[in-house]
Amino acid sequence: MNTYGKTFRLSIFGESHGPAVGIVIDGLPPGFAPDMGEAAREMSRRAPGQSALSTPRAEADAVEVVSGLFEGKTTGAPLCAMIRSTNTQSEDYQKNLPRPGHVDYTAHIKYKGFSDYRGGGHFSGRLTAPLVFAGALAKQLMPNVKIKAQPILIGGKPPSEETILSAKADGDSVGGVIECAVDGLPAGLGEPFFGSVESCLSALLFSIPAVKAVEFDYGFKLADMRGSQSNKTPFGILGGITTGRPLKFTVAIKPTPSIAMEQDTVDLATNQPAKITVAGRHDPCIVPRAVPVVEAAAAIGLLDLWLTGGFSTAMVTTEIYA
Amino acid sequence: MNTYGKTFRLSIFGESHGPAVGIVIDGLPPGFAPDMGEAAREMSRRAPGQSALSTPRAEADAVEVVSGLFEGKTTGAPLCAMIRSTNTQSEDYQKNLPRPGHVDYTAHIKYKGFSDYRGGGHFSGRLTAPLVFAGALAKQLMPNVKIKAQPILIGGKPPSEETILSAKADGDSVGGVIECAVDGLPAGLGEPFFGSVESCLSALLFSIPAVKAVEFDYGFKLADMRGSQSNKTPFGILGGITTGRPLKFTVAIKPTPSIAMEQDTVDLATNQPAKITVAGRHDPCIVPRAVPVVEAAAAIGLLDLWLTGGFSTAMVTTEIYA
Amino acid sequence: MNTYGKTFRLSIFGESHGPAVGIVIDGLPPGFAPDMGEAAREMSRRAPGQSALSTPRAEADAVEVVSGLFEGKTTGAPLCAMIRSTNTQSEDYQKNLPRPGHVDYTAHIKYKGFSDYRGGGHFSGRLTAPLVFAGALAKQLMPNVKIKAQPILIGGKPPSEETILSAKADGDSVGGVIECAVDGLPAGLGEPFFGSVESCLSALLFSIPAVKAVEFDYGFKLADMRGSQSNKTPFGILGGITTGRPLKFTVAIKPTPSIAMEQDTVDLATNQPAKITVAGRHDPCIVPRAVPVVEAAAAIGLLDLWLTGGFSTAMVTTEIYA
Amino acid sequence: MNTYGKTFRLSIFGESHGPAVGIVIDGLPPGFAPDMGEAAREMSRRAPGQSALSTPRAEADAVEVVSGLFEGKTTGAPLCAMIRSTNTQSEDYQKNLPRPGHVDYTAHIKYKGFSDYRGGGHFSGRLTAPLVFAGALAKQLMPNVKIKAQPILIGGKPPSEETILSAKADGDSVGGVIECAVDGLPAGLGEPFFGSVESCLSALLFSIPAVKAVEFDYGFKLADMRGSQSNKTPFGILGGITTGRPLKFTVAIKPTPSIAMEQDTVDLATNQPAKITVAGRHDPCIVPRAVPVVEAAAAIGLLDLWLTGGFSTAMVTTEIYA
């Protein structure tokens, strides 16, 4: 269930306040020398504690590779990468008071009270760190493909730090919209139906905590067009298969549910109404840190389709080996 | 690749103008007596040729069950259901002239010129017929769950036949937006990350031809809210897991690309610009026929999560057996 | 569960006395023109009713392809093939009297009394007919690989019709041992651990009804050797990966449990001891008809490993297209 | 590819001389408190360096759990367990001289020269350490099931240390045969065809390095019987499904290929014949250490079938929670 991919296969593990989060990546071609410095740069785009806009929980997010690399090159065996947790404040979380708008209640029900409730446990946004690492490798394996995401709306307005800082000052939070453009894909990626490019990418994108909507190409705008107009738009995907034209998609990110204001909740032990004031260190806006995660999801999904769909590894990695 | 599900597993096959389309459904609990009349009613909601609003290609879409049923009850073995094609006009399709906005070009590239180009071949909306059948069984296995979809916009306006007939009169087509509400789900359905309710349903919804956007709960509207406001909305899904509250999602359907007006294309044999006038029998608006398909996708995805997630078959089918 | 393969993927369906048995094959490369006459010859090697050595149930086992072929070539979409049942005598089976040594009892328990008990239902050897068809296509896609099985023991002795006819005359049955040799494989097929050549082939071979043992290379004899001797044997597989040398494996087939002699059983309705005399039409020795099934299993497993393991489709099918 | 299971799912990683080997286990029921002392005892049965009969490479094989446990109980999220390597002598291995009878050559071919050649790399028997850990948890989740393996032949004779020490004195090695008995299984475990008990267990058993043959119930002996005799044997599996009777299976283990005597090989750099004397620290007989691995494979396969087949987690773990 915590696994993605047919050919480029990922398995993620870890809890926010556990010893480590990590990933096993299977299906890497042998002989690939990942640029670990470049991967670290991708990781740092997502890492917390970098500015007043994000949580003050500072984590270096250093990646330890414990398998699958030998003399700097992939061996063909699974690559396991771990990211140790170094800066946790678990006392900020209260087992019986689920935070509104958060996974706390649903995870409690699903796992019969045994889930690790601290910081969202296994459902934490911290699990996107290993995804960004996998995405960094995927990008390097498709050197001619350019994947570039950016916020286009924050709090309903063109992105500005002011919107975020204003929400933070109020003990509140804001969400936003991220657009991602992908250039350089060949025509013919994707599989029929449940393996369509949209199906694969949306499954990955909706696995990013806080994503609540995904559009491809012109998305909802297409629904308002006539066919004569729609047929002239430059689709990146038709019938679930890439056209060879640039691909564009958009995701909606809901506001961080962990806010400083006092909120209503229910005490799970007594089943009585209760008040909660979320302490802890939280992002007033997760959108900037979600940008590299969206890119990683795109890279992972597209590389898997690439390798699955009869496009050989050699084609992907030609430049790497040259 | 043409397969969906962990526990309630589907495998679809067929081409629009081939002898039949069909489905193999594995993971049905034994002893379930499907109401085939009810399934036929669901099928007829999707079937073509029912009004001036849809294609005049009249297909009865009768389902032949060739395995998995014995004395009217499921045996526990895979159920294969076939729907024969009885009314095809293959001469309407030209191999070398891909219809703009359609899968014709991308399928040609992906399958190296060997795909069945007639009526979209395996990518045809006709493949949603077996999905509706599977969805009908899934609904019957969750008798307390109510899944109800309806168009909320057609051609950018509140749904009306006039909008569709006006487009048809112009040799054009329109798209629309469908909203689906699901009541009666227990809390706790869904799996972490790639198995989130949103990931599973979106993968199914984007496998429906013409779907280009999917929102859950308040979708893009959430992106404009502050956390204090968002946290008060009645989420059907939190952290990818059902809350036990009603679930709502919305999909955008692009206009039918097959329109009667002359359009520009490229001749695949000569690589030269060409004109195409799509003959054939096409829907000026696919939205009404997509409504039962959207419901079927929801039923399939939710039943699979239900059976996968530690909710026993017996719980699902209690009422069936009573 | 009724599905095999990562890249060359099969899904089988059907019951012995139902309308049809069949298979959906996904992952066939597009543009492949199967030799259907050759496939029919493979099918006839397995088909019943051909001699006094096999069941008098005569079935033509004609294959109807309902999808995935267009103008005689694969389209890249799933190929569904069906084999109709034409000659069933269902009155030979008694629901409440499980045949000793047969699946009747275990299927009854597993499917809570709802399994189709006639002729073994979904567990029937008849389900190997679609496997032989899939194997025939797999063989054609690996034209340089020669797969050849033969009985090496029947009833504990060198194969002879006399052994079989003698058992038949006694209302009894015999089993045997089949050896299969595979020549022409490249080195490097197979995956680590659960994807080893032995793991993949044994999973397929043990899915053939009546197979109770599988050896690779020198099998049990290797267990008696010293390393200095074992290291000199010409292994076809080392570490789960093909060596490029010929591969050999051996399977044990238990005697047909359906015999004419009166046997003890238990009445499932009353839970009391009972006697059963199996009427019906049964093989006194299934070994000869199992030979093409063993070859098919080998072809299916090896082609899937071939396509999965970074060996491109083009390499497999070079000769087909030439 | 390095993944097993439908419901109780494993993903293994690591190389013999890399920093660690490990496993991600997904599908554990939440609230299960594994007895880590008992798991350590199982691990120690397999660990090297315990007597003159096994390799002097002493590894504590201490298990570090980095996710999925909270306050001593499973959370429902994936459990990742790592075993650090502490005692490696990598200089014993020569990249260009593949050891006869070993994976060295086939891994070199498969991974294009990039595999970690030290000690078998990812194909090492050391990867069975995480399997034994997973098997220990699986055993604890089926408290009424007793799984007991033992050697029945070593070097072709009843097991004795003398046989092993004699081979060791000659710089040689011996193999053997292990029999495993499983008591306490319910009737009805297993799935049709590719999901038969034999298919599932054999896929796991053949993933254990050095296993070259697997028999179920009376195996090859059944092939020599008549049906009237075979039908009276107490089958543990019929039609791929458990009968509720004790289950027995047997595996053949080839002799350790790493022996001290000088052997012929080929230099992969020059493609010329060469001599190799395997230094390093190797087991003269791997059979005793394989015994707990065989048990673990059985426990893993049977628990997965148990959880998959409609037997609820609650049934499995009733005693655990009581």
Side-chain angles (χ1 to χ4, degrees), chain D residues 23-319:
Chain D
I23 192 165
V24 181
I25 308 174
D26 202 359
L28 285 166
F32 160 54
D35 180 335
M36 297 300 282
E38 177 57 28
R41 277 187 290 279
E42 291 281 345
M43 301 286 292
S44 71
R45 294 172 65 199
R46 195 215 70 90
Q50 300 182 318
S51 79
L53 301 177
S54 84
T55 168
R57 173 177 173 180
E59 290 276 10
D61 280 357
V63 173
E64 178 194 6
V65 173
V66 298
S67 69
L69 272 191
F70 177 49
E71 299 176 346
K73 291 183 179 158
T74 52
T75 62
L79 187 156
C80 177
M82 304 219 326
I83 301 152
R84 296 273 170 187
S85 293
T86 59
N87 187 340
T88 56
Q89 289 185 199
S90 302
E91 66 278 12
D92 289 336
Y93 300 92
Q94 296 167 272
K95 179 168 185 179
N96 291 321
L97 296 184
R99 293 167 292 168
H102 219 293
V103 72
D104 295 353
Y105 172 72
T106 54
H108 175 83
I109 296 294
K110 178 168 185 61
Y111 295 117
K112 303 178 171 66
F114 294 107
S115 60
D116 182 348
Y117 59 87
R118 302 167 303 166
H122 180 59
F123 293 86
S124 166
R126 186 156 172 70
L127 271 286
T128 61
L131 286 184
V132 170
F133 176 72
L137 301 196
K139 284 180 178 180
Q140 294 179 28
L141 283 161
M142 301 184 293
N144 290 329
V145 178
K146 303 301 169 201
I147 300 173
K148 178 74 190 143
Q150 58 181 344
I152 55 172
L153 285 177
I154 286 186
K157 293 184 283 191
S160 80
E161 293 199 6
E162 193 186 318
T163 306
I164 300 173
L165 292 173
S166 164
K168 185 182 181 183
D170 296 343
D172 212 334
S173 65
V174 284
V177 175
I178 295 172
E179 185 178 273
C180 185
V182 185
D183 286 339
L185 289 173
L189 292 186
E191 301 294 326
F193 289 88
F194 320 117
S196 75
V197 174
E198 291 106 327
S199 291
C200 294
L201 292 192
S202 68
L204 280 160
L205 293 166
F206 279 119
S207 76
I208 303 172
V211 169
K212 295 299 282 187
V214 175
E215 292 183 311
F216 291 92
D217 290 319
Y218 287 82
F220 277 99
K221 290 189 191 73
L222 290 165
D224 296 348
M225 296 181 190
R226 281 193 160 194
S228 53
Q229 180 185 8
S230 159
N231 284 353
K232 288 175 185 154
T233 66
F235 285 101
I237 309 168
L238 282 175
I241 313 291
T242 55
T243 60
R245 288 199 190 112
L247 164 62
K248 189 182 71 176
F249 63 86
T250 311
V251 302
I253 311 277
K254 74 172 187 175
T256 318
S258 294
I259 55 176
M261 301 163 75
E262 187 183 77
Q263 297 177 86
D264 294 323
T265 186
V266 170
D267 188 312
L268 294 172
T270 63
N271 224 13
Q272 295 299 311
K275 297 289 182 188
I276 183 170
T277 305
V278 179
R281 302 163 298 178
H282 302 287
D283 292 86
C285 180
I286 201 70
V287 176
R289 292 178 58 206
V291 167
V293 184
V294 165
E295 291 181 8
I300 290 165
L302 290 166
L303 178 61
D304 185 45
L305 287 169
W306 193 309
L307 295 174
T308 297
F311 294 80
S312 76
T313 301
M315 288 178 57
V316 182
T317 55
T318 299
E319 301 209 355

Side-chain angles (χ1 to χ4, degrees), chain C residues 119-199:
Chain C
H122 180 59
F123 293 85
S124 167
R126 186 155 173 69
L127 271 286
T128 61
L131 286 184
V132 170
F133 176 73
L137 300 196
K139 284 180 179 180
Q140 294 179 28
L141 283 162
M142 301 185 292
N144 290 329
V145 178
K146 302 303 169 200
I147 300 172
K148 178 74 188 142
Q150 59 181 343
I152 55 172
L153 285 176
I154 286 187
K157 293 183 284 191
S160 81
E161 294 200 6
E162 193 186 319
T163 306
I164 300 173
L165 292 172
S166 164
K168 185 183 183 183
D170 296 343
D172 213 333
S173 65
V174 284
V177 175
I178 294 172
E179 186 178 274
C180 185
V182 185
D183 286 339
L185 289 174
L189 292 186
E191 301 293 329
F193 288 88
F194 320 116
S196 75
V197 174
E198 292 107 326
S199 291

Side-chain angles (χ1 to χ4, degrees), chain B residues 78-124:
Chain B
L79 187 156
C80 176
M82 302 220 326
I83 302 151
R84 296 272 173 190
S85 292
T86 59
N87 187 341
T88 56
Q89 288 185 200
S90 302
E91 66 279 11
D92 289 337
Y93 300 91
Q94 297 167 271
K95 178 169 185 178
N96 291 322
L97 295 183
R99 295 166 292 167
H102 220 294
V103 73
D104 295 355
Y105 172 71
T106 54
H108 174 83
I109 295 295
K110 178 169 185 61
Y111 295 117
K112 304 178 171 65
F114 294 107
S115 61
D116 182 348
Y117 59 87
R118 301 167 304 166
H122 180 59
F123 294 85
S124 166

